[in-house]
Amino acid sequence: AEALRQRIEETGKGIQSIIDTRDLEAVFSKAGATFRERYGRSPLMPGELVGAGLLPAIPREYPLDTDEYLDSFLAMPDGSFRSRILAGMEAAHQVEAVTQAIINYIRANNSLPPPDLDTLVTEKYIDEIKPPPLAALGQKYVYEAGAVWMETEQSVEDAANP
């Protein structure tokens, strides 16, 4: 019973950390949009928002416990910010959903993989294939021989700061 209580408590802390990180994304993004309007470009990092007087300070602790706190937020071309960790979690979840649809297609089609990912949608193996979480930075799905993953053509840093 104690082990179960600890697991529930740890799960609750993990969920709260995700919520707190989403809140930080929203705060940074709102200030980033104002920065973009004011200066005609997107901020390169959260610290610029403080320097421009759009935020009083950057929170000292990151909800998801990483050593590279400020590096864990990506500046997007539209001025918004995304958490690397949450974007990675979203990408993994999306790839898993598409992979499951591929498996179901293969089972129903004599071990043949779908010719492309759009086939999974048109033949109703999945409702939709969501855009990659960092599509604005060039992230895309790659599909080969029944396997799917996400990648970017250039580093995320280069894409975020052209």
Side-chain angles (χ1 to χ4, degrees):
E2 178 62 23
L4 178 59
R5 187 193 63 73
Q6 284 180 325
R7 279 187 70 192
I8 291 170
E9 185 176 306
E10 288 172 11
T11 300
K13 287 179 183 176
I15 291 169
Q16 187 60 52
S17 292
I18 290 171
I19 291 168
D20 293 346
T21 301
R22 289 264 187 242
D23 290 347
L24 279 175
E25 278 183 339
V27 167
F28 290 167
S29 294
K30 183 177 180 183
T34 302
F35 184 99
R36 185 171 176 78
E37 288 173 16
R38 186 179 291 172
Y39 298 104
R41 68 173 179 84
S42 295
L44 300 177
M45 61 188 70
E48 277 193 283
L49 303 173
V50 176
L54 298 171
L55 291 178
I58 300 292
R60 295 185 68 116
E61 293 184 22
Y62 181 60
L64 291 175
D65 296 330
T66 179
D67 292 333
E68 298 88 25
Y69 166 50
L70 292 179
D71 288 340
S72 64
F73 285 92
L74 295 168
M76 304 299 281
D78 66 357
S80 65
F81 284 85
R82 286 298 321 262
S83 160
R84 286 178 192 265
I85 294 170
L86 293 184
M89 291 167 65
E90 282 179 37
H93 179 72
Q94 288 172 217
V95 166
E96 176 59 31
V98 173
T99 298
Q100 188 58 54
I102 291 169
I103 290 168
N104 292 339
Y105 181 96
I106 289 170
R107 286 181 179 153
N109 290 280
N110 299 318
S111 300
L112 295 173
D116 54 46
L117 296 180
D118 291 334
T119 301
L120 298 172
V121 177
T122 58
E123 295 193 21
K124 305 203 183 308
Y125 285 91
I126 193 168
D127 290 334
E128 67 175 332
I129 296 178
K130 295 179 181 177
L134 299 176
L137 300 181
Q139 187 179 46
K140 64 181 181 178
Y141 288 94
V142 178
Y143 175 69
E144 291 179 6
V148 65
W149 62 93
M150 286 189 195
E151 65 181 32
T152 54
E153 292 181 12
Q154 58 185 333
S155 77
V156 170
E157 287 75 18
D158 291 343
N161 304 307

